[in-house]
C-alpha cells in the first residue's frame, strides 16, 4: 500500500473536467418518467428511500423467530451430528480464528519487511531515479520511453536478445517462424500450381501454430522479465504469424468458403479473450442487455449470487435476460449483505468474482484480462518472481522479491491462511452471519492471465462503500491507466491475432447470418463480431443512432413489463409486507462470462 501517489501525478490528473464524457447526459428523461410511472402502477408501491444507507421501507420490529427465518442458520441437513462435534465445535472455531488473526499480523509485518528490503537494497541510485521517472508518466508514449530506459539500465535488453528461456520452446518457435516466412514469401512471389502448393503449406503451418499459448509464447512469464517487451524471437514469431494469417484471409487465392472454414477452425483453437471487471461499475440509463448487444456487438454479463448459499450463480446477459434493464442487474450484483438488501440476491464477490471456468464453458474464453481493484484482495497480491511488466530487479532478475527469505515467509503465511480458512469451511465451524458463507471472499480465484491491479491506499478502505468524488475518480482513472501500461504489449500481441480471426468469420456473408442450417454451433455471436469488425457501426452511434419506431414500441413495452416485475423483486422489503417468496431476475444457472470484443463480465463495486 502507499499514500504518496498524489505526488507522482501532475495537477491536471485531479481535474474532474478532464474526465471522459463529464458533460455528457446519458439518461433519457422520457425513460425516467416511464420508470416512475411503472413503479407507481397499482401492483407496485412507490419507491421511497430515506438515504443511501437506509432500506426502502422503515424497519419494523419483528419477533426473534422472524429474524432467524430471514437470516437462516445452517439447516439440519447441512450439520453433522455427534457429541464430540457439539463439544469441540466452538473451541476449535476460536482457536483457528485466533491463529488466522495471528497469521494476518505476521503477514503484514512480512510485507513491511519486503517493502523496506526493496527500498534499502534494490531501489537505490540511478535505478531508483529511473523508476520514479517511470512512475510519473501519465501518457503511454512517455511511459514507453521511460520503460525502455529502465530496461536498458538493468540489462534487460540482453535478456530479450537471447533466444533460450525455460518457459517456452525456443527451438520450435524459431523453426516454425522461418517456415512461416518462407511459405508466405513463396505464396506471394510464385504463380500457378507452385503458388497453390505454397499457400496450402502456409495454411497447414498456421493451423498447427495458431493455438492458445502455442509453444509457450503466451506464458505470462515471457513478459515478466522486463518492464516492456518480451523475447525478440517470440515477438518476431507473433508478427510473422500475424502476417501469414493476414495473407491467407485477405490476400491469398483461397476461395471465400475456404477462408471462412479456416477462420472457423482457428476460432475454436485460439479461443477468445475476456475482460473481467472486478470492482467496476456499468450503467447507462435504462439500456437493456439486448439493446447493449445490438448497439455495440459486445456481450455484457452481470452476475450475482442467490442469497441461498447452495444455489448456483445467476447469469444475466442478452441471451438469458434480454429485456432486463442493466442497472437492475448491477444493483442485484452489488447487494452486499448488511449494506444493500436485494431480496434473493447478494454480491457475486462472495462466491465467484472472476468466473473463468464459466467463461471457457459458455464462450470458449481461454485468455482473461482481470481488472482487480478490491482493496481487501490487492493486499494479498504478491508475485515473488515478478509479474507482467513488473520484473524482479534483484540480482539482475534472477533473485526474489525481498530476498529468498522474505518471499519464502510470505508464501508460507499466505498458504497457511488459505489452509485454515478451508478447515473452517469443510469442518462446518464457520458461522454464517446474515445467512452467507463469507469464506469465499478469500478462497476464490481473483486473477487471470493478465491481472491489472492498481496499488491500494489506506483511504480506499475508508471509501470502500462510497461513490467516488470527481477528484477521486480522476485519480482512479490516472492510476488505472498507469497500471495498464505494462500489460498493453501482451494484450496487443493477443488481440491483433484474434481480430484477424474474427474478421475471417465474416467472410461467409449470408451463409452465417441468413441460413440457420449453415451457421454451426460456434456462431451464435457472429452478429456481434460483425458490429465490431465492420465500419458500419461507429463509436458515436451509441448516442446518435435512433432505433426504428417499431423497435421503440417493442422496447418500451418490454421495459415496462420488466420494471413492473423488478419493482417487486429488487425493491421489496420483507420486513414490511412479510412476503418470504424468493424471486430472482431472468437468468440461467451458471457463472457470468465476458470478453473485450467477444464477451465482457461486469462486477460492480
Amino acid at each position: 500500500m502507499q499514500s504518496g501517489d498524489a505526488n507522482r501525478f501532475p495537477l491536471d490528473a485531479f481535474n474532474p473536467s478532464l474526465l471522459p464524457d463529464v458533460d455528457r447526459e446519458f439518461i433519457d428523461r422520457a425513460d425516467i418518467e416511464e420508470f416512475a410511472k411503472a413503479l407507481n402502477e397499482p401492483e407496485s408501491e412507490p419507491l421511497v428511500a430515506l438515504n443511501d444507507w437506509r432500506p426502502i421501507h422503515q424497519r419494523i420490529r419483528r419477533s426473534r423467530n422472524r429474524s432467524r427465518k430471514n437470516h437462516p442458520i445452517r439447516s439440519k441437513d447441512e450439520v453433522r451430528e455427534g457429541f464430540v462435534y457439539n463439544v469441540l465445535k466452538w473451541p476449535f472455531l476460536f482457536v483457528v480464528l485466533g491463529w488466522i488473526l495471528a497469521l494476518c499480523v505476521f503477514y503484514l509485518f512480512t510485507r513491511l519487511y519486503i517493502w523496506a528490503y526493496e527500498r534499502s537494497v534494490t531501489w537505490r541510485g540511478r535505478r531508483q531515479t529511473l523508476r520514479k521517472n517511470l512512475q510519473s508518466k501519465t501518457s503511454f508514449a512517455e511511459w514507453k520511453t521511460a520503460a525502455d530506459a529502465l530496461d536498458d539500465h538493468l540489462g534487460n535488453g540482453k535478456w530479450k536478445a537471447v533466444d533460450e528461456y525455460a518457459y517456452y520452446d525456443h527451438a520450435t518457435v524459431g523453426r516454425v517462424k522461418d517456415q512461416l516466412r518462407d511459405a508466405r514469401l513463396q505464396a506471394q512471389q510464385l504463380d500457378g500450381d507452385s503458388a497453390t502448393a505454397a499457400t496450402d503449406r502456409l495454411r497447414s503451418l498456421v493451423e498447427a501454430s495458431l493455438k492458445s499459448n502455442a509453444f509457450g509464447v503466451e506464458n505470462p512469464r515471457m513478459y515478466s522479465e522486463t518492464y516492456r517487451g518480451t523475447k525478440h524471437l517470440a515477438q518476431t514469431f507473433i508478427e510473422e504469424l500475424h502476417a501469414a494469417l493476414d495473407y491467407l484471409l485477405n490476400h491469398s487465392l483461397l476461395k471465400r468458403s475456404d477462408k471462412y472454414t479456416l477462420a472457423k477452425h482457428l476460432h475454436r483453437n485460439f479461443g477468445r479473450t475476456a475482460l473481467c471487471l472486478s470492482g467496476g461499475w456499468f450503467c447507462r440509463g435504462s439500456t437493456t442487455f439486448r439493446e447493449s448487444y445490438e448497439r455495440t456487438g459486445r456481450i455484457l454479463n452481470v452476475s450475482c449470487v442467490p442469497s441461498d448459499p447452495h444455489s448456483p450463480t445467476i447469469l444475466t446477459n442478452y441471451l438469458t435476460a434480454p429485456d432486463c434493464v442493466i442497472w437492475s442487474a448491477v444493483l442485484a450484483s452489488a447487494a452486499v449483505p448488511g449494506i444493500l438488501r436485494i431480496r434473493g440476491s447478494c454480491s457475486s464477490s462472495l462466491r465467484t468474482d472472476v468466473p473463468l471456468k464459466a467463461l471457457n464453458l459458455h464462450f470458449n474464453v481461454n485468455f482473461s484480462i482481470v481488472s482487480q481493484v478490491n482493496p481487501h484482495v490487492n493486499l494479498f497480491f504478491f508475485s515473488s518472481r515478478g509479474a507482467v511488466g513488473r520484473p524482479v530487479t534483484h540480482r539482475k532478475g534472477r533473485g526474489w522479491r525481498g530476498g529468498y527469505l522474505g518471499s519464502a515467509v510470505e508464501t508460507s503465511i499466505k498458504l497457511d491462511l488459505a489452509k485454515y480458512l478451508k478447515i473452517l469451511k469443510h469442518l462446518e465451524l464457520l458461522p454464517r452471519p446474515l445467512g452467507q458463507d463469507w469464506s469465499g471472499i478469500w478462497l476464490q480465484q481473483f486473477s487471470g492471465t493478465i491481472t491489472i491491479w492498481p496499488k491500494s491506499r489506506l483511504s480506499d478502505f475508508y471509501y470502500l462503500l462510497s461513490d467516488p468524488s470527481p477528484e477521486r475518480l480522476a485519480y482512479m482513472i490516472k492510476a488505472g491507466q498507469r497500471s495498464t501500461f505494462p500489460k498493453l504489449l501482451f494484450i496487443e500481441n493477443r488481440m491483433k491475432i484474434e481480430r484477424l480471426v474474427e474478421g475471417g468469420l465474416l467472410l461467409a456473408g449470408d451463409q452465417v447470418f441468413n441460413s440457420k442450417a449453415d451457421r454451426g454451433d460456434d456462431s451464435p455471436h457472429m452478429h456481434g463480431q460483425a458490429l465490431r469488425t465492420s465500419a458500419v457501426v461507429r463509436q458515436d452511434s451509441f448516442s446518435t443512432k435512433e432505433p426504428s419506431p417499431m423497435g421503440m414500441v417493442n422496447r418500451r413495452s418490454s421495459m415496462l413489463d420488466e420494471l413492473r416485475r423488478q419493482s417487486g423483486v429488487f425493491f421489496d422489503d420483507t420486513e414490511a409486507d412479510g412476503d418470504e417468496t424468493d424471486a430472482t431476475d431472468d437468468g440461467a444457472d451458471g457463472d457470468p462470462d465476458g470478453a473485450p470484443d467477444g464477451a465482457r463480465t461486469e462486477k460492480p463495486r
Side-chain angles (χ1 to χ4, degrees):
M1 294 182 294
Q2 61 183 25
S3 59
D5 288 343
N7 297 329
R8 300 173 182 171
F9 290 102
L11 294 178
D12 61 355
F14 303 92
N15 186 0
S17 63
L18 299 179
L19 293 175
D21 297 326
V22 66
D23 297 323
R24 189 175 180 182
E25 182 62 45
F26 287 100
I27 300 177
D28 188 353
R29 188 64 187 176
D31 291 339
I32 297 297
E33 294 175 356
E34 291 295 335
F35 171 62
K37 185 186 301 182
L39 290 179
N40 287 278
E41 289 291 327
E43 64 269 21
S44 63
E45 298 182 6
L47 177 61
V48 178
L50 300 179
N51 55 54
D52 291 341
W53 298 96
R54 297 291 296 275
I56 301 303
H57 301 284
Q58 293 188 6
R59 180 175 295 277
I60 299 176
R61 186 178 299 277
R62 299 172 300 169
S63 64
R64 185 181 303 273
N65 292 335
R66 289 273 299 175
S67 177
R68 286 178 175 269
K69 188 173 182 180
N70 284 340
H71 302 298
I73 60 176
R74 294 183 186 273
S75 66
K76 180 180 179 181
D77 297 329
E78 298 176 85
V79 180
R80 304 295 95 183
E81 297 181 355
F83 174 77
V84 177
Y85 171 77
N86 292 325
V87 171
L88 297 181
K89 174 182 177 179
W90 293 105
F92 276 177
L93 174 62
F94 289 123
V95 169
V96 176
L97 287 179
W99 183 239
I100 289 177
L101 180 60
L103 288 175
C104 290
V105 175
F106 294 155
Y107 185 82
L108 178 61
F109 279 106
T110 301
R111 292 297 300 272
L112 290 175
Y113 164 78
I114 295 174
W115 177 85
Y117 181 94
E118 290 183 332
R119 277 151 184 78
S120 61
V121 177
T122 304
W123 297 111
R124 296 182 299 176
R126 176 65 174 169
R127 181 184 298 180
Q128 175 67 352
T129 301
L130 292 174
R131 178 172 176 263
K132 287 185 176 180
N133 179 57
L134 178 67
Q135 293 177 337
S136 65
K137 302 306 180 184
T138 56
S139 70
F140 184 55
E142 295 176 347
W143 182 90
K144 288 194 298 183
T145 302
D148 291 338
L150 184 54
D151 278 335
D152 292 340
H153 176 74
L154 296 175
N156 294 335
K158 298 179 180 178
W159 176 87
K160 297 179 184 179
V162 177
D163 293 343
E164 292 81 6
Y165 191 53
Y167 294 95
Y168 82 122
D169 189 352
H170 66 276
T172 303
V173 169
R175 183 171 60 254
V176 174
K177 182 202 70 172
D178 294 338
Q179 294 174 351
L180 285 170
R181 183 186 64 248
D182 295 342
R184 178 175 58 84
L185 293 177
Q186 291 177 5
Q188 292 173 336
Q189 297 171 0
L190 299 178
D191 297 324
D193 295 338
S194 299
T196 302
T199 300
D200 292 339
R201 179 167 172 261
L202 180 62
R203 175 176 178 174
S204 298
L205 286 171
V206 169
E207 288 181 321
S209 304
L210 195 58
K211 296 179 174 63
S212 180
N213 195 25
F215 315 122
V217 294
E218 286 186 341
N219 190 330
R221 294 292 309 167
M222 295 290 295
Y223 297 82
S224 301
E225 300 286 348
T226 66
Y227 283 92
R228 178 176 176 268
T230 182
K231 290 285 188 181
H232 292 326
L233 176 61
Q235 187 64 38
T236 54
F237 169 78
I238 294 173
E239 292 172 355
E240 185 57 50
L241 187 61
H242 177 269
L245 181 60
D246 179 64
Y247 171 77
L248 288 173
L249 295 178
N250 300 321
H251 306 289
S252 69
L253 300 178
L254 291 176
K255 297 180 180 179
R256 184 183 181 94
S257 59
D258 292 338
K259 293 180 180 180
Y260 168 71
T261 302
L262 173 63
K264 182 178 179 181
H265 178 216
L266 297 178
H267 182 257
R268 289 179 176 176
N269 287 342
F270 195 61
R272 308 171 80 181
T273 301
L275 173 62
C276 305
L277 304 179
S278 177
W281 187 278
F282 179 94
C283 188
R284 182 188 181 273
S286 56
T287 305
T288 65
F289 282 100
R290 190 204 306 272
E291 290 174 328
S292 176
Y293 174 69
E294 290 177 348
R295 292 187 179 189
T296 68
R298 290 179 170 84
I299 306 171
L300 174 67
N301 296 265
V302 178
S303 67
C304 62
V305 174
S307 56
D308 178 14
H310 301 290
S311 296
T313 303
I314 297 176
L315 172 68
T316 54
N317 56 30
Y318 83 101
L319 294 174
T320 61
D323 297 322
C324 176
V325 181
I326 293 176
W327 68 258
S328 64
V330 169
L331 190 64
S333 183
V336 179
I339 303 298
L340 178 62
R341 292 189 62 242
I342 303 296
R343 186 177 57 167
S345 299
C346 62
S347 175
S348 57
S349 293
L350 296 180
R351 198 186 304 172
T352 312
D353 197 58
V354 183
L356 298 181
K357 291 183 179 180
L359 294 177
N360 179 267
L361 176 65
H362 294 289
F363 294 102
N364 191 31
V365 168
N366 47 31
F367 191 95
S368 55
I369 305 170
V370 177
S371 175
Q372 184 57 258
V373 296
N374 289 318
H376 72 283
V377 176
N378 287 353
L379 180 64
F380 296 95
F381 264 68
F382 179 85
S383 299
S384 59
R385 299 300 303 274
V388 175
R390 297 188 62 186
V392 176
T393 57
H394 186 51
R395 297 186 181 274
K396 296 183 179 181
R398 300 182 62 85
W400 303 74
R401 288 190 60 187
Y404 178 75
L405 180 61
S407 291
V409 174
E410 188 275 341
T411 302
S412 299
I413 295 177
K414 195 158 54 177
L415 291 176
D416 267 357
L417 283 170
K419 179 184 73 174
Y420 285 107
L421 284 173
K422 291 180 180 178
I423 289 176
L424 290 179
K425 180 177 181 179
H426 291 293
L427 294 184
E428 299 176 356
L429 300 177
L430 192 65
R432 288 182 179 170
L434 302 175
Q436 295 299 321
D437 181 4
W438 296 79
S439 61
I441 293 181
W442 289 279
L443 291 179
Q444 59 181 291
Q445 181 177 356
F446 292 97
S447 59
T449 310
I450 297 177
T451 305
I452 304 171
W453 48 284
K455 290 185 177 180
S456 299
R457 304 183 299 171
L458 290 176
S459 60
D460 293 337
F461 292 91
Y462 180 78
Y463 293 106
L464 185 62
L465 300 176
S466 302
D467 291 332
S469 63
E471 292 75 16
R472 280 182 55 81
L473 184 59
Y475 167 79
M476 291 176 181
I477 292 177
K478 292 295 184 180
Q481 288 177 345
R482 191 183 67 182
S483 301
T484 307
F485 289 159
K487 327 290 184 182
L488 288 181
L489 180 61
F490 194 3
I491 297 174
E492 177 188 357
N493 286 339
R494 167 77 188 194
M495 293 307 301
K496 66 183 181 182
I497 301 291
E498 191 169 328
R499 292 291 194 188
L500 277 179
V501 175
E502 286 189 348
L505 290 174
L506 304 179
L507 295 175
D510 295 340
Q511 176 184 354
V512 175
F513 299 109
N514 295 334
S515 175
K516 286 187 177 181
D518 296 329
R519 286 187 178 185
D521 296 334
D522 65 332
S523 58
H525 310 300
M526 294 299 102
H527 168 66
Q529 291 171 345
L531 288 178
R532 293 190 303 274
T533 306
S534 65
V536 176
V537 179
R538 304 181 60 86
Q539 182 176 0
D540 58 354
S541 66
F542 192 86
S543 58
T544 60
K545 183 179 179 181
E546 294 294 335
S548 62
M550 181 60 66
M552 285 293 296
V553 173
N554 294 337
R555 175 199 178 279
R556 184 60 52 86
S557 176
S558 61
M559 188 187 74
L560 290 178
D561 294 339
E562 185 72 19
L563 287 175
R564 290 190 185 100
R565 186 177 64 82
Q566 291 171 3
S567 65
V569 172
F570 293 112
F571 300 102
D572 186 58
D573 195 336
T574 57
E575 296 176 353
D577 56 25
D579 186 5
E580 297 295 335
T581 304
D582 288 338
T584 58
D585 202 351
D586 288 342
D589 294 346
D591 291 324
D593 323 292
D597 320 327
R600 174 176 300 179
T601 180
E602 188 81 18
K603 164 59 187 65
R605 184 163 41 189

